[in-house]
């Protein structure tokens, strides 16, 4: 009797179902569509390259068993798949790939750990010439994640969002404007903006985790049906290693494939971890192709992520890469005020200003200083005042003041000449303001590594020739005007390390 592909596949499924877990069956076999049976070759359609690779790695034995039972020893299996071309410009195409092994009497199933270790993911299948056809997709493939997590090792959901991180308490400044607004766009329309993946990078303690957690919290609050997962790259790696050890790689992948918004923190941690990168690469492809949102952080720009595979790095560039810089004086002030409000701390304005001037390294340090000051105050039962702040922060301040920065110079010079900071940077040509501005530029050139162009920019957007002129004028006045020389000597003391 002539068999048709649907009957053969239905019978194969029966064999498969009896041999694997229900969750795995639903995730990996229900989305498959039988398309053709010809000369003992059964062609099945799968939704993606990753899907095909996963089947070949993890279920080839059970597939062989089914085919053998239905079509005998000469039976063959071929996959019709959507090939990821590794380039967002190219549309996916469908290719037919024969299974790596021919149907045979079933053998002992290889352990998933062994399979992944001997990974055939980069095998010849990738190079098979593509035959153009319509892409295949099956939206049912992603099941209700919460249902799935019941069946899957609960360890995977342990690292989660901290709801104290929000956009509301993430202070905006020049240092983070692009990253913050891209984050907000992603949070409002996950998976549908061109910021996918969104990669946020920046130095230690500048707010990467806060920002990406705010994205996750926002999505959770506005779309409770979405499965948002925040995980550090370190945790991801440990879970993966653990899954290898426990023969639980399928469960690991099953779990991650169900995520709607994947937030991977500190992606630089994957450097040099080839197998983990490979797993992440496939999860990334699958989620991206299914229109799911991916958000990542890194302590450096993608081009400096040595030890990460090129194919992964090239995918990071598909979306948007936004950096976080150290906050400027005004942003530091706002961050302190925000923190005071949040924690109900009361600190006099001049102390706030002093802190914002003195701690200009990173936000975490700024917060740390604030906490230690509050602790000192409560231990000594004393109101926080400038003296106490100076005393408490002596070590940090000394360190920081050793590096005189532009903010500090501008503020000190403005104070010395009794004019406002705004006026110092304004367009006005009033004589006393011009002199103060020229002096401040002179010290900026002397004490910072800013270029002439950058100095001009920080003084109300002036060009570099204005800075050259200012420095020259001040030098001439030092030579010709004794009073002016004394002013400079006086001021210079404030910028020299004691
Ligand atoms: N713009 C900001 N507004 C308010 N708080 C901020 C801002 N940036 C950072 N913070 C706070 O600073 C602290 C450090 O931030 P976070 O942990 O997000 O930094 P990170 O860049 O992820 O650091 P690491 O490099 O160590 O992972 C957090 O308490 C965070 O809430």
């Amino acid at each position: 009797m002539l068999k048709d592909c649907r009957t053969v596949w239905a019978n194969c499924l029966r064999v498969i179902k009896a041999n694997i877990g229900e969750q795995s069956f639903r995730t990996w076999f229900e989305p498959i569509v039988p398309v053709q049976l010809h000369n003992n070759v059964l062609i099945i359609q799968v939704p993606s390259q990753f899907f095909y690779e996963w089947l070949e790695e993890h279920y080839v034995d059970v597939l062989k068993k089914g085919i053998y039972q239905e079509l005998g020893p000469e039976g063959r299996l071929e996959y019709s798949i959507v090939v990821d071309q590794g380039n967002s410009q190219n549309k996916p195409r469908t290719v037919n790939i024969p299974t790596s092994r021919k149907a045979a009497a079933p053998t002992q199933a290889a352990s998933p750990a062994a399979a992944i270790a001997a990974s055939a993911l980069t095998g010849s299948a990738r190079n098979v010439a593509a035959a153009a056809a319509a892409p295949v997709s099956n939206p049912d493939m992603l099941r209700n994640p919460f249902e799935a997590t019941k069946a899957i090792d609960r360890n995977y959901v342990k690292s989660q969002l901290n709801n104290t991180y929000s956009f509301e308490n993430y202070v905006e400044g020049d240092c983070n404007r692009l990253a913050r607004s891209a984050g907000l766009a992603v949070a409002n329309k996950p998976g549908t903006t061109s910021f996918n993946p969104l990669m946020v990078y920046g130095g230690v303690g500048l707010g990467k985790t806060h920002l990406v957690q705010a994205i996750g919290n926002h999505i959770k609050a506005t779309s409770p049906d979405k499965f948002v997962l925040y995980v550090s790259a370190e945790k991801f790696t440990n879970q993966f290693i653990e899954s290898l050890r426990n023969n639980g790689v399928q469960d690991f992948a099953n779990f991650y494939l169900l995520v709607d918004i994947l937030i991977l923190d500190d992606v630089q941690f994957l450097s040099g971890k080839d197998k983990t990168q490979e797993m992440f690469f496939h999860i990334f492809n699958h989620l991206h192709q299914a229109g799911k949102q991916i958000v990542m952080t890194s302590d450096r720009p993608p081009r400096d992520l040595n030890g990460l595979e090129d194919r992964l790095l090239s995918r990071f560039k598909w979306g948007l890469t936004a950096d976080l810089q150290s906050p400027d004086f005004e942003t530091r002030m706002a961050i302190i005020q925000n923190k005071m409000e949040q924690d109900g701390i009361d600190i006099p304005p001049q102390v706030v200003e002093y802190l914002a001037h003195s701690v200009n390294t990173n936000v975490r340090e700024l917060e740390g200083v604030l906490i230690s000051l509050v602790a000192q105050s409560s231990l000594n039962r004393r109101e926080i005042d400038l003296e106490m702040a100076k005393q408490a922060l002596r070590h940090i301040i000394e360190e920081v003041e050793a590096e005189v920065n532009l903010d500090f110079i501008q503020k000190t010079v403005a104070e010395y000449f009794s004019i406002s900071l705004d006026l110092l940077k304004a367009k006005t040509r009033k004589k006393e303001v011009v002199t103060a501005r020229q002096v401040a530029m002179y010290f900026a050139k002397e004490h910072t590594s800013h270029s002439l162009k950058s100095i001009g920019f920080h003084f109300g957007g002036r060009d570099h020739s204005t800075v050259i002129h200012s420095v020259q004028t001040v030098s001439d006045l030092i030579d010709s005007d004794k009073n002016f020389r004394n002013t400079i000597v006086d001021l210079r003391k404030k910028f020299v390390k004691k």
Side-chain angles (χ1 to χ4, degrees):
M1 193 185 81
L2 218 58
K3 292 181 175 177
D4 70 81
C5 67
R6 267 192 296 270
T7 316
V8 167
W9 182 239
N11 291 338
C12 282
L13 283 182
R14 229 167 276 132
V15 175
I16 292 163
K17 201 169 189 173
N19 280 277
I20 67 171
E22 197 196 328
Q23 182 60 42
S24 298
F25 182 81
R26 290 173 62 188
T27 306
W28 297 108
F29 290 92
E30 283 189 5
I32 296 175
V33 181
V35 287
Q36 204 186 9
L37 178 65
H38 183 66
N39 288 344
N40 267 346
V41 179
L42 174 70
I43 302 179
I44 56 173
Q45 204 168 53
V46 295
S48 67
Q49 170 85 11
F50 173 58
F51 209 98
Y52 146 75
E53 288 169 344
W54 199 259
L55 288 173
E56 276 287 282
E57 275 198 15
H58 302 285
Y59 297 107
V60 74
D61 289 301
V62 78
L63 276 163
K64 275 194 298 179
K65 192 171 171 179
I67 296 285
Y68 180 84
Q69 221 149 292
E70 272 305 291
L71 301 174
E74 291 310 311
R76 298 277 190 288
L77 182 68
E78 256 181 51
Y79 301 86
S80 171
I81 64 167
V82 177
V83 168
D84 175 3
Q85 300 293 310
N87 177 343
S88 60
Q89 304 301 314
N90 295 338
K91 289 266 177 289
R93 290 181 289 178
T94 305
V95 304
N96 284 359
I97 301 176
T99 179
S100 54
R101 281 153 263 197
K102 137 184 165 175
T107 55
Q108 189 70 33
S111 82
I116 197 101
S119 175
L121 292 182
T122 48
S124 61
R126 263 187 212 294
N127 305 322
V128 172
V136 183
S137 70
N138 185 343
D140 291 342
M141 206 181 99
L142 298 171
R143 303 276 162 207
N144 175 357
F146 302 107
E147 195 183 305
T149 53
K150 275 185 217 149
I152 291 170
D153 189 342
R154 288 203 162 267
N155 276 331
Y156 298 138
V157 276
K158 272 191 191 153
S159 58
Q160 265 298 7
L161 294 167
N162 171 346
N163 58 18
T164 59
Y165 292 126
S166 68
F167 281 104
E168 288 71 39
N169 63 19
Y170 192 73
V171 175
E172 184 174 353
D174 288 346
C175 54
N176 60 26
R177 207 175 310 283
L178 173 67
R180 189 182 185 280
S181 51
L184 204 51
V186 161
N188 284 324
K189 291 184 166 182
T192 59
T193 68
S194 51
F195 310 148
N196 196 13
L198 172 64
M199 159 77 98
V200 177
Y201 74 88
V204 173
L206 292 183
K208 302 181 289 294
T209 302
H210 185 139
L211 179 58
V212 298
Q213 289 240 357
I215 296 173
N217 283 322
H218 185 95
I219 299 173
K220 259 179 79 175
T222 51
S223 313
D225 56 317
K226 292 239 189 298
F227 183 15
V228 181
L229 185 76
Y230 166 88
V231 64
S232 68
E234 182 176 5
K235 181 119 195 166
F236 179 89
T237 305
N238 292 340
Q239 288 175 348
F240 177 59
I241 293 168
E242 190 64 20
S243 76
L244 287 173
R245 222 183 301 139
N246 299 334
N247 285 354
V249 176
Q250 277 105 325
D251 284 347
F252 176 86
N254 285 351
F255 176 77
Y256 276 94
L257 296 185
L258 295 169
V259 172
D260 290 310
I261 288 92
L262 177 61
I263 303 170
L264 190 73
D265 206 355
D266 289 326
V267 79
Q268 76 278 353
F269 188 84
L270 299 184
S271 285
K273 300 180 177 71
D274 295 351
K275 286 287 159 221
T276 315
Q277 278 183 44
E278 194 163 302
M279 172 54 82
F280 179 58
F281 175 78
H282 292 296
I283 290 170
F284 182 107
N285 283 345
H286 180 93
L287 294 182
H288 195 272
Q289 193 174 315
K292 309 295 173 180
Q293 179 70 45
I294 299 154
V295 177
M296 292 173 289
T297 76
S298 159
D299 67 355
R300 64 203 81 165
R303 65 173 178 279
D304 295 339
L305 280 168
N306 303 324
L308 245 69
E309 283 183 39
D310 286 347
R311 60 179 183 164
L312 208 47
L313 291 176
S314 77
R315 272 156 177 76
F316 292 175
K317 293 183 197 140
W318 284 359
L320 179 82
T321 301
D323 67 331
L324 296 178
Q325 298 284 342
S326 298
D328 54 24
F329 173 72
E330 287 77 11
T331 312
R332 295 198 297 273
M333 285 284 286
I335 289 173
I336 299 175
Q337 279 154 354
N338 180 66
K339 191 85 186 140
M340 284 163 51
E341 215 168 277
Q342 221 176 298
D343 298 352
I345 309 168
D346 200 15
I347 300 180
Q350 72 269 32
V351 177
V352 173
E353 215 171 294
Y354 177 73
L355 293 178
H357 263 307
S358 313
V359 188
N360 57 3
T361 37
N362 70 55
V363 184
R364 185 175 296 118
E365 188 146 285
L366 196 58
E367 286 186 350
V369 164
L370 211 54
I371 291 165
S372 87
L373 202 51
V374 171
Q376 297 252 0
S377 143
S378 106
L379 277 175
N380 301 327
R381 295 176 199 282
R382 229 183 92 186
E383 296 280 301
I384 297 172
D385 58 20
L386 198 55
E387 206 35 53
M388 182 184 192
K390 283 187 178 165
Q391 191 60 24
L393 308 178
R394 219 176 38 233
H395 304 299
I396 297 165
I397 308 300
E398 269 172 9
E399 243 173 59
V400 174
E401 281 189 352
E403 307 161 22
V404 174
N405 65 23
L406 253 176
D407 282 344
F408 183 70
I409 290 173
Q410 288 179 329
K411 177 150 190 301
T412 309
V413 173
E415 259 171 23
Y416 191 92
F417 285 93
S418 302
I419 60 168
S420 73
L421 206 52
D422 286 346
L423 207 54
L424 190 78
K425 299 179 193 176
K427 296 276 175 240
T428 178
R429 302 280 318 150
K430 273 193 191 155
K431 171 114 180 47
E432 62 275 21
V433 177
V434 171
T435 305
R437 191 183 298 134
Q438 288 176 333
V439 167
M441 285 186 182
Y442 172 86
F443 280 118
K445 170 84 177 50
E446 189 172 280
H447 287 287
T448 76
S449 55
H450 282 268
S451 66
L452 294 171
K453 196 172 164 196
S454 165
I455 294 173
F457 174 80
H458 286 92
F459 281 83
R462 292 175 157 82
D463 66 22
H464 77 288
S465 60
T466 308
V467 182
I468 295 175
H469 174 71
S470 300
V471 172
Q472 192 55 53
T473 307
V474 171
S475 303
D476 292 347
L477 281 171
I478 291 172
D479 290 343
S480 60
D481 180 335
K482 191 167 173 225
N483 281 343
F484 187 83
R485 185 159 60 245
N486 288 341
T487 299
I488 296 297
V489 170
D490 224 15
L491 264 170
R492 184 172 283 125
K493 283 186 200 145
K494 297 180 189 292
F495 304 131
V496 174
K497 202 175 146 192
K498 301 206 174 56

